[in-house]
Amino acid sequence: MIPVAFDYKKASSVQDALAALAAGGEDAKLMGGGQSLLPVLRLRLNAPSVVVDCSSIPEIKGIKDEGGKIVIGAGTTHHAVMNDPAVKSSLKVLADATASVADPQIRHRGTLGGALAHSDPRADQPPVALALDAEFTIAGATGQRTVAAADFFQGPFETAVGPDEILVSVAFPKLDGWGGHYEKFNRAAQAWSIVGVAATVRMEGGKIAEARIGLTNVGGTPHRASAVEQALVGASSIAEIEAASMHASDGLSPFADEDADVEYRLHLARVLTARSVAKAAGIS
Amino acid sequence: MQHIKVTVDGTTYHKEVEPRTLLVHFLREDLGRVGTVVGCDTSNCGACTVLVDAVSVKSCSMLAVQADGSEITTIQGVSDGNDWHPVQSAFKECHGLQCGYCTPGMVMSSIDLLNENPNPTEAEIREGLEGNLCRCTGYHNIVKSVQRAAELMEGAKS
Ligand SMILES: Cc1cc2nc3c(=O)[nH]c(=O)nc-3n(C[C@H](O)[C@H](O)[C@H](O)COP(=O)(O)OP(=O)(O)OC[C@H]3O[C@@H](n4cnc5c(N)ncnc54)[C@H](O)[C@@H]3O)c2cc1C
Ligand code: FES
Ligand code: FES
């Protein structure tokens, strides 16, 4: 279908975009790569009066290595993120999760910031940001503020970014020397995760010394499996990883849908956590 | 209406477009370049794939206004007018199509794939084409076509 008519404004700076959002009022909508927004507009599930395109704002694009952290501009495409040498070496789990998003065409246009701000419960990058304690920089009328990942994801399609604000960048602490893996379970190529598990671990003498685990699509927001992270410390065998991963379903109350009922999702959470951790740790 | 300037298959156009016009509709309806087709309403099928500034995108999932200033290659621009592009030749040789509806998108995605990875494994080809659906072939001959195209392009270089 053809979307309902709207005005279009290509923003050249963050200030420019904020002004356009303020002028557009309630029905103004920001667009990054458009890979989630345009399908929604085509199905006429949303009809903004003005679309503010932030995809060519130079200050929200690109990847910077800032010593202890890697700062990724919200407007950086998935393709750029997954192929960046610093991301591949210091944030392997983010590179893996990003490579699993959609398909090459969508990854050429879709952006990390768009995916995180959209916060679809099925999206693959939000649990990585949560598990890695990423920091979100958000710009609004009164200036910029920083929000921790634990406070950023507030519900399905709901984040700390207000309707008149822009996500500028996301900072990830570097995990040099850590192993990482994203285990995605779906039925067909290019399909969304039924459940996904982001795992990253630091090894010491063949044993897991530290672990960070985030789960996709087991609730309305990404889930941090803290109980598994604690139980994994000291694990050095598949049996120990599997035992610790039994905690992956602790405290979860997932939904049922056409892909999986509640019991099956809980089962997937445990099994995929064990698989993801084993691969991240290089233990087979 | 908004003014845009785009180069499509080597020709530069200045046009007025409505912001809501999808790039694929602009190509088909405003420029009459109907080689690029629409296969779905959900950004899944990839039949509409074109190259924008040398990378593959789904032209149903981009606005024409967003293409302002860019260079677009469609299936109608890949051959030089005399000889087919090696990917086209390989699809013919290996019977990489049946009804042909997915083919414009398959060819464009294959060109993008081979640009990035001139010598892909079978698994890399299957992954690289995951954004393109085919209801006819079962993909087997499409994979063979891309393998053959890689050989043809390698041969053309030496
Ligand atoms: C067929 C298909 C399959 C897909 N499969 C997957 C998948 O397997 N896994 C997955 O994770 N995703 C998947 N996606 C979604 C894809 O990853 C999108 O690229 C991503 O969700 C949105 O990024 P975008 O830049 O295109 O955002 P847009 O579509 O432009 O915007 C999405 C939302 O974010 C807001 N937004 C965008 N940029 C900003 C910003 N800088 N600041 C504040 N708000 C902003 C917009 O207002 C909008 O509400 C799929 C999409 C399609 C069409
Ligand atoms: S028409 Fe199906 S993805 Fe564009
Ligand atoms: S040849 Fe018919 S859809 Fe691919």
Side-chain angles (χ1 to χ4, degrees):
Chain A
M1 265 197 294
I2 297 168
V4 173
F6 51 77
D7 289 333
Y8 171 85
K9 162 86 183 144
K10 184 178 244 167
S12 57
S13 67
V14 169
Q15 279 315 317
D16 195 26
L18 290 173
L21 285 177
E26 236 175 54
D27 292 334
K29 190 83 184 136
L30 205 56
M31 179 165 75
Q35 302 304 291
S36 290
L37 185 60
L38 285 174
V40 164
L41 299 189
R42 283 177 77 193
L43 295 171
R44 299 203 171 190
L45 299 172
N46 195 335
S49 57
V50 51
V51 169
V52 179
D53 183 354
C54 63
S55 68
S56 40
I57 301 179
E59 49 192 302
I60 68 164
K61 281 171 108 88
I63 300 171
K64 278 191 287 226
D65 190 332
E66 295 192 351
K69 55 189 179 179
I70 292 178
V71 182
I72 305 181
T76 311
T77 63
H78 300 314
H79 183 258
V81 170
M82 65 191 257
N83 288 302
D84 184 78
V87 173
K88 285 206 293 207
S89 70
S90 304
L91 298 169
K92 181 176 179 290
V93 62
L94 177 64
D96 278 13
T98 304
S100 84
V101 168
D103 55 53
Q105 295 99 308
I106 290 171
R107 293 194 298 264
H108 281 141
R109 290 204 61 77
T111 66
L112 177 65
L116 296 173
H118 192 52
S119 198
D120 189 313
R122 303 167 301 170
D124 299 301
Q125 294 141 317
V128 176
L130 181 69
L132 268 47
D133 290 317
E135 266 191 1
F136 293 74
T137 299
I138 300 169
T142 55
Q144 295 202 343
R145 63 197 172 99
T146 311
V147 176
D151 302 319
F152 184 82
F153 301 105
Q154 301 183 341
F157 306 100
E158 245 182 73
T159 70
V161 185
D164 51 357
E165 292 185 313
I166 293 191
L167 178 61
V168 173
S169 63
V170 190
F172 294 85
K174 268 202 214 169
L175 298 175
D176 289 325
W178 290 52
H181 182 74
Y182 186 70
E183 184 77 18
K184 177 167 179 165
F185 187 78
N186 58 11
R187 289 185 299 123
Q190 189 221 46
W192 295 82
S193 288
I194 297 172
V195 172
V197 181
T200 188
V201 300
R202 184 171 63 79
M203 302 299 288
E204 235 174 62
K207 291 184 172 174
I208 294 175
E210 258 183 285
R212 310 273 176 81
I213 317 286
L215 273 67
T216 305
N217 210 21
V218 292
T221 53
H223 175 70
R224 176 103 183 238
S226 311
V228 180
E229 293 177 0
Q230 282 154 25
L232 277 172
V233 175
S236 60
S237 67
I238 287 287
E240 285 166 347
I241 290 172
E242 282 174 354
S245 300
M246 292 305 286
H247 292 291
S249 52
D250 290 3
L252 287 185
S253 46
F255 43 84
D257 61 14
E258 69 278 18
D259 288 320
D261 62 17
V262 169
E263 265 312 303
Y264 185 46
R265 269 212 164 75
L266 294 172
H267 168 78
L268 285 175
R270 296 186 289 259
V271 170
L272 298 177
T273 298
R275 269 185 216 165
S276 194
V277 170
K279 286 183 188 157
I283 293 174
S284 52
Chain B
M1 299 295 263
Q2 220 147 338
H3 181 85
I4 61 167
K5 175 191 165 206
V6 285
T7 303
V8 180
D9 298 333
T11 306
T12 300
Y13 300 87
H14 291 266
K15 291 274 179 186
E16 300 293 321
V17 292
E18 248 193 290
R20 63 169 161 169
T21 309
L22 302 172
L23 178 58
V24 68
H25 291 139
F26 172 74
L27 293 171
R28 292 177 59 83
E29 287 156 29
D30 293 4
L31 304 187
R33 299 190 77 74
V34 293
T36 305
V37 295
V38 178
C40 74
D41 242 337
T42 51
S43 305
N44 283 104
C45 76
C48 62
T49 302
V50 300
L51 304 185
V52 176
D53 294 331
V55 298
S56 61
V57 308
K58 293 179 172 176
S59 62
C60 70
S61 304
M62 180 171 177
L63 300 171
V65 282
Q66 290 181 289
D68 184 24
S70 57
E71 195 154 318
I72 295 164
T73 308
T74 77
I75 186 69
Q76 289 176 258
V78 297
S79 126
D80 63 10
N82 296 313
D83 295 317
W84 283 357
H85 188 284
V87 173
Q88 292 176 300
S89 306
F91 268 72
K92 174 167 184 265
E93 193 182 311
C94 302
H95 204 83
L97 62 147
Q98 289 179 27
C99 81
Y101 201 81
C102 68
T103 314
M106 283 291 179
V107 169
M108 299 315 290
S109 285
S110 303
I111 291 174
D112 178 79
L113 168 67
L114 293 169
N115 278 345
E116 199 165 299
N117 181 359
N119 195 11
T121 62
E122 179 182 339
E124 286 167 344
I125 294 171
R126 290 184 183 275
E127 286 255 307
L129 296 181
E130 70 181 324
N132 294 74
L133 304 183
C134 176
R135 300 282 81 159
C136 303
T137 62
Y139 301 100
H140 191 68
N141 284 359
I142 292 176
V143 173
K144 283 206 282 190
S145 303
V146 179
Q147 287 169 325
R148 177 71 185 132
E151 285 171 16
L152 291 174
M153 288 163 83
E154 186 56 38
K157 259 191 266 162
S158 53

PDB file of all heavy atoms in Angstrom, chain A residues 121-145:
ATOM      1  N   PRO A 121      10.089  -6.089  21.101  1.00  0.00           N
ATOM      2  CA  PRO A 121      10.540  -7.163  22.001  1.00  0.00           C
ATOM      3  C   PRO A 121      11.322  -8.253  21.265  1.00  0.00           C
ATOM      4  O   PRO A 121      12.124  -8.960  21.878  1.00  0.00           O
ATOM      5  CB  PRO A 121       9.232  -7.725  22.566  1.00  0.00           C
ATOM      6  CG  PRO A 121       8.221  -6.642  22.386  1.00  0.00           C
ATOM      7  CD  PRO A 121       8.635  -5.856  21.173  1.00  0.00           C
ATOM      8  N   ARG A 122      11.093  -8.393  19.967  1.00  0.00           N
ATOM      9  CA  ARG A 122      11.783  -9.438  19.199  1.00  0.00           C
ATOM     10  C   ARG A 122      13.126  -8.980  18.660  1.00  0.00           C
ATOM     11  O   ARG A 122      13.829  -9.753  18.010  1.00  0.00           O
ATOM     12  CB  ARG A 122      10.914  -9.860  18.001  1.00  0.00           C
ATOM     13  CG  ARG A 122       9.538 -10.348  18.363  1.00  0.00           C
ATOM     14  CD  ARG A 122       8.657 -10.424  17.123  1.00  0.00           C
ATOM     15  NE  ARG A 122       8.544  -9.113  16.474  1.00  0.00           N
ATOM     16  CZ  ARG A 122       8.006  -8.904  15.284  1.00  0.00           C
ATOM     17  NH1 ARG A 122       7.534  -9.923  14.581  1.00  0.00           N
ATOM     18  NH2 ARG A 122       7.951  -7.691  14.772  1.00  0.00           N
ATOM     19  N   ALA A 123      13.490  -7.723  18.857  1.00  0.00           N
ATOM     20  CA  ALA A 123      14.698  -7.180  18.233  1.00  0.00           C
ATOM     21  C   ALA A 123      15.955  -7.737  18.903  1.00  0.00           C
ATOM     22  O   ALA A 123      15.974  -7.971  20.114  1.00  0.00           O
ATOM     23  CB  ALA A 123      14.685  -5.666  18.311  1.00  0.00           C
ATOM     24  N   ASP A 124      16.992  -7.935  18.110  1.00  0.00           N
ATOM     25  CA  ASP A 124      18.174  -8.659  18.571  1.00  0.00           C
ATOM     26  C   ASP A 124      19.213  -7.808  19.293  1.00  0.00           C
ATOM     27  O   ASP A 124      20.009  -8.337  20.057  1.00  0.00           O
ATOM     28  CB  ASP A 124      18.823  -9.358  17.371  1.00  0.00           C
ATOM     29  CG  ASP A 124      17.872 -10.359  16.734  1.00  0.00           C
ATOM     30  OD1 ASP A 124      17.450 -11.284  17.447  1.00  0.00           O
ATOM     31  OD2 ASP A 124      17.522 -10.207  15.545  1.00  0.00           O
ATOM     32  N   GLN A 125      19.237  -6.497  19.064  1.00  0.00           N
ATOM     33  CA  GLN A 125      20.291  -5.700  19.694  1.00  0.00           C
ATOM     34  C   GLN A 125      19.963  -5.187  21.103  1.00  0.00           C
ATOM     35  O   GLN A 125      20.879  -5.022  21.911  1.00  0.00           O
ATOM     36  CB  GLN A 125      20.691  -4.535  18.782  1.00  0.00           C
ATOM     37  CG  GLN A 125      21.359  -5.036  17.491  1.00  0.00           C
ATOM     38  CD  GLN A 125      20.943  -4.230  16.294  1.00  0.00           C
ATOM     39  OE1 GLN A 125      19.759  -3.914  16.142  1.00  0.00           O
ATOM     40  NE2 GLN A 125      21.881  -3.874  15.433  1.00  0.00           N
ATOM     41  N   PRO A 126      18.680  -4.926  21.435  1.00  0.00           N
ATOM     42  CA  PRO A 126      18.400  -4.425  22.786  1.00  0.00           C
ATOM     43  C   PRO A 126      18.959  -5.297  23.922  1.00  0.00           C
ATOM     44  O   PRO A 126      19.563  -4.750  24.862  1.00  0.00           O
ATOM     45  CB  PRO A 126      16.870  -4.325  22.809  1.00  0.00           C
ATOM     46  CG  PRO A 126      16.517  -4.007  21.387  1.00  0.00           C
ATOM     47  CD  PRO A 126      17.477  -4.850  20.569  1.00  0.00           C
ATOM     48  N   PRO A 127      18.838  -6.653  23.861  1.00  0.00           N
ATOM     49  CA  PRO A 127      19.401  -7.429  24.970  1.00  0.00           C
ATOM     50  C   PRO A 127      20.918  -7.308  25.073  1.00  0.00           C
ATOM     51  O   PRO A 127      21.469  -7.440  26.178  1.00  0.00           O
ATOM     52  CB  PRO A 127      18.986  -8.871  24.665  1.00  0.00           C
ATOM     53  CG  PRO A 127      18.496  -8.878  23.285  1.00  0.00           C
ATOM     54  CD  PRO A 127      18.089  -7.501  22.916  1.00  0.00           C
ATOM     55  N   VAL A 128      21.583  -7.036  23.940  1.00  0.00           N
ATOM     56  CA  VAL A 128      23.043  -6.835  23.987  1.00  0.00           C
ATOM     57  C   VAL A 128      23.339  -5.548  24.758  1.00  0.00           C
ATOM     58  O   VAL A 128      24.181  -5.512  25.658  1.00  0.00           O
ATOM     59  CB  VAL A 128      23.640  -6.763  22.562  1.00  0.00           C
ATOM     60  CG1 VAL A 128      25.127  -6.469  22.628  1.00  0.00           C
ATOM     61  CG2 VAL A 128      23.360  -8.053  21.797  1.00  0.00           C
ATOM     62  N   ALA A 129      22.614  -4.481  24.419  1.00  0.00           N
ATOM     63  CA  ALA A 129      22.824  -3.196  25.098  1.00  0.00           C
ATOM     64  C   ALA A 129      22.550  -3.328  26.596  1.00  0.00           C
ATOM     65  O   ALA A 129      23.264  -2.767  27.429  1.00  0.00           O
ATOM     66  CB  ALA A 129      21.918  -2.131  24.479  1.00  0.00           C
ATOM     67  N   LEU A 130      21.518  -4.108  26.946  1.00  0.00           N
ATOM     68  CA  LEU A 130      21.171  -4.296  28.362  1.00  0.00           C
ATOM     69  C   LEU A 130      22.260  -5.084  29.083  1.00  0.00           C
ATOM     70  O   LEU A 130      22.733  -4.680  30.152  1.00  0.00           O
ATOM     71  CB  LEU A 130      19.818  -5.027  28.464  1.00  0.00           C
ATOM     72  CG  LEU A 130      19.312  -5.272  29.877  1.00  0.00           C
ATOM     73  CD1 LEU A 130      18.921  -3.962  30.547  1.00  0.00           C
ATOM     74  CD2 LEU A 130      18.115  -6.227  29.876  1.00  0.00           C
ATOM     75  N   ALA A 131      22.680  -6.194  28.489  1.00  0.00           N
ATOM     76  CA  ALA A 131      23.666  -7.060  29.150  1.00  0.00           C
ATOM     77  C   ALA A 131      25.013  -6.347  29.299  1.00  0.00           C
ATOM     78  O   ALA A 131      25.742  -6.589  30.249  1.00  0.00           O
ATOM     79  CB  ALA A 131      23.834  -8.361  28.375  1.00  0.00           C
ATOM     80  N   LEU A 132      25.330  -5.481  28.352  1.00  0.00           N
ATOM     81  CA  LEU A 132      26.630  -4.798  28.380  1.00  0.00           C
ATOM     82  C   LEU A 132      26.594  -3.476  29.157  1.00  0.00           C
ATOM     83  O   LEU A 132      27.585  -2.746  29.181  1.00  0.00           O
ATOM     84  CB  LEU A 132      27.117  -4.554  26.942  1.00  0.00           C
ATOM     85  CG  LEU A 132      28.015  -5.647  26.351  1.00  0.00           C
ATOM     86  CD1 LEU A 132      27.467  -7.046  26.584  1.00  0.00           C
ATOM     87  CD2 LEU A 132      28.244  -5.432  24.867  1.00  0.00           C
ATOM     88  N   ASP A 133      25.454  -3.160  29.782  1.00  0.00           N
ATOM     89  CA  ASP A 133      25.325  -1.889  30.509  1.00  0.00           C
ATOM     90  C   ASP A 133      25.700  -0.701  29.635  1.00  0.00           C
ATOM     91  O   ASP A 133      26.471   0.182  30.040  1.00  0.00           O
ATOM     92  CB  ASP A 133      26.203  -1.876  31.779  1.00  0.00           C
ATOM     93  CG  ASP A 133      25.682  -2.824  32.844  1.00  0.00           C
ATOM     94  OD1 ASP A 133      24.452  -2.834  33.049  1.00  0.00           O
ATOM     95  OD2 ASP A 133      26.483  -3.561  33.442  1.00  0.00           O
ATOM     96  N   ALA A 134      25.152  -0.681  28.426  1.00  0.00           N
ATOM     97  CA  ALA A 134      25.416   0.438  27.521  1.00  0.00           C
ATOM     98  C   ALA A 134      24.815   1.716  28.092  1.00  0.00           C
ATOM     99  O   ALA A 134      23.902   1.672  28.924  1.00  0.00           O
ATOM    100  CB  ALA A 134      24.803   0.143  26.150  1.00  0.00           C
ATOM    101  N   GLU A 135      25.361   2.865  27.647  1.00  0.00           N
ATOM    102  CA  GLU A 135      24.841   4.165  28.086  1.00  0.00           C
ATOM    103  C   GLU A 135      24.291   4.919  26.890  1.00  0.00           C
ATOM    104  O   GLU A 135      24.977   5.061  25.876  1.00  0.00           O
ATOM    105  CB  GLU A 135      25.962   4.990  28.706  1.00  0.00           C
ATOM    106  CG  GLU A 135      26.018   4.825  30.197  1.00  0.00           C
ATOM    107  CD  GLU A 135      26.949   5.846  30.831  1.00  0.00           C
ATOM    108  OE1 GLU A 135      27.537   6.688  30.108  1.00  0.00           O
ATOM    109  OE2 GLU A 135      27.073   5.788  32.048  1.00  0.00           O
ATOM    110  N   PHE A 136      23.079   5.426  27.044  1.00  0.00           N
ATOM    111  CA  PHE A 136      22.385   6.077  25.935  1.00  0.00           C
ATOM    112  C   PHE A 136      22.441   7.592  26.097  1.00  0.00           C
ATOM    113  O   PHE A 136      22.088   8.110  27.156  1.00  0.00           O
ATOM    114  CB  PHE A 136      20.919   5.640  25.908  1.00  0.00           C
ATOM    115  CG  PHE A 136      20.731   4.185  25.573  1.00  0.00           C
ATOM    116  CD1 PHE A 136      21.036   3.201  26.507  1.00  0.00           C
ATOM    117  CD2 PHE A 136      20.255   3.803  24.328  1.00  0.00           C
ATOM    118  CE1 PHE A 136      20.879   1.851  26.196  1.00  0.00           C
ATOM    119  CE2 PHE A 136      20.092   2.468  24.015  1.00  0.00           C
ATOM    120  CZ  PHE A 136      20.393   1.480  24.941  1.00  0.00           C
ATOM    121  N   THR A 137      22.864   8.306  25.061  1.00  0.00           N
ATOM    122  CA  THR A 137      22.842   9.765  25.092  1.00  0.00           C
ATOM    123  C   THR A 137      21.647  10.251  24.274  1.00  0.00           C
ATOM    124  O   THR A 137      21.507   9.909  23.096  1.00  0.00           O
ATOM    125  CB  THR A 137      24.158  10.348  24.542  1.00  0.00           C
ATOM    126  OG1 THR A 137      25.210   9.878  25.377  1.00  0.00           O
ATOM    127  CG2 THR A 137      24.146  11.868  24.548  1.00  0.00           C
ATOM    128  N   ILE A 138      20.793  11.020  24.945  1.00  0.00           N
ATOM    129  CA  ILE A 138      19.540  11.479  24.339  1.00  0.00           C
ATOM    130  C   ILE A 138      19.539  13.004  24.317  1.00  0.00           C
ATOM    131  O   ILE A 138      19.878  13.641  25.320  1.00  0.00           O
ATOM    132  CB  ILE A 138      18.326  10.962  25.167  1.00  0.00           C
ATOM    133  CG1 ILE A 138      18.332   9.418  25.195  1.00  0.00           C
ATOM    134  CG2 ILE A 138      17.006  11.492  24.614  1.00  0.00           C
ATOM    135  CD1 ILE A 138      17.360   8.817  26.194  1.00  0.00           C
ATOM    136  N   ALA A 139      19.170  13.587  23.167  1.00  0.00           N
ATOM    137  CA  ALA A 139      19.099  15.051  23.077  1.00  0.00           C
ATOM    138  C   ALA A 139      17.649  15.503  23.065  1.00  0.00           C
ATOM    139  O   ALA A 139      16.798  14.870  22.434  1.00  0.00           O
ATOM    140  CB  ALA A 139      19.809  15.533  21.809  1.00  0.00           C
ATOM    141  N   GLY A 140      17.382  16.596  23.785  1.00  0.00           N
ATOM    142  CA  GLY A 140      16.044  17.178  23.815  1.00  0.00           C
ATOM    143  C   GLY A 140      16.150  18.693  23.859  1.00  0.00           C
ATOM    144  O   GLY A 140      17.255  19.249  23.780  1.00  0.00           O
ATOM    145  N   ALA A 141      15.013  19.346  24.028  1.00  0.00           N
ATOM    146  CA  ALA A 141      14.969  20.805  24.000  1.00  0.00           C
ATOM    147  C   ALA A 141      15.905  21.418  25.048  1.00  0.00           C
ATOM    148  O   ALA A 141      16.486  22.475  24.834  1.00  0.00           O
ATOM    149  CB  ALA A 141      13.538  21.281  24.236  1.00  0.00           C
ATOM    150  N   THR A 142      16.059  20.727  26.192  1.00  0.00           N
ATOM    151  CA  THR A 142      16.858  21.307  27.277  1.00  0.00           C
ATOM    152  C   THR A 142      18.301  20.835  27.280  1.00  0.00           C
ATOM    153  O   THR A 142      19.032  21.067  28.239  1.00  0.00           O
ATOM    154  CB  THR A 142      16.217  20.980  28.639  1.00  0.00           C
ATOM    155  OG1 THR A 142      16.077  19.554  28.718  1.00  0.00           O
ATOM    156  CG2 THR A 142      14.860  21.633  28.793  1.00  0.00           C
ATOM    157  N   GLY A 143      18.718  20.131  26.232  1.00  0.00           N
ATOM    158  CA  GLY A 143      20.106  19.673  26.160  1.00  0.00           C
ATOM    159  C   GLY A 143      20.192  18.161  26.127  1.00  0.00           C
ATOM    160  O   GLY A 143      19.209  17.493  25.801  1.00  0.00           O
ATOM    161  N   GLN A 144      21.379  17.650  26.471  1.00  0.00           N
ATOM    162  CA  GLN A 144      21.573  16.205  26.396  1.00  0.00           C
ATOM    163  C   GLN A 144      21.561  15.567  27.767  1.00  0.00           C
ATOM    164  O   GLN A 144      21.957  16.178  28.754  1.00  0.00           O
ATOM    165  CB  GLN A 144      22.925  15.915  25.719  1.00  0.00           C
ATOM    166  CG  GLN A 144      22.959  16.371  24.274  1.00  0.00           C
ATOM    167  CD  GLN A 144      24.022  15.663  23.456  1.00  0.00           C
ATOM    168  OE1 GLN A 144      24.935  15.061  24.001  1.00  0.00           O
ATOM    169  NE2 GLN A 144      23.901  15.729  22.138  1.00  0.00           N
ATOM    170  N   ARG A 145      21.098  14.306  27.823  1.00  0.00           N
ATOM    171  CA  ARG A 145      21.169  13.565  29.090  1.00  0.00           C
ATOM    172  C   ARG A 145      21.611  12.139  28.781  1.00  0.00           C
ATOM    173  O   ARG A 145      21.521  11.688  27.642  1.00  0.00           O
ATOM    174  CB  ARG A 145      19.808  13.573  29.802  1.00  0.00           C
ATOM    175  CG  ARG A 145      18.719  12.882  29.034  1.00  0.00           C
ATOM    176  CD  ARG A 145      17.330  13.273  29.564  1.00  0.00           C
ATOM    177  NE  ARG A 145      16.301  12.739  28.669  1.00  0.00           N
ATOM    178  CZ  ARG A 145      15.630  11.615  28.910  1.00  0.00           C
ATOM    179  NH1 ARG A 145      15.838  10.923  30.017  1.00  0.00           N
ATOM    180  NH2 ARG A 145      14.738  11.166  28.038  1.00  0.00           N
TER     181      ARG A 145
END
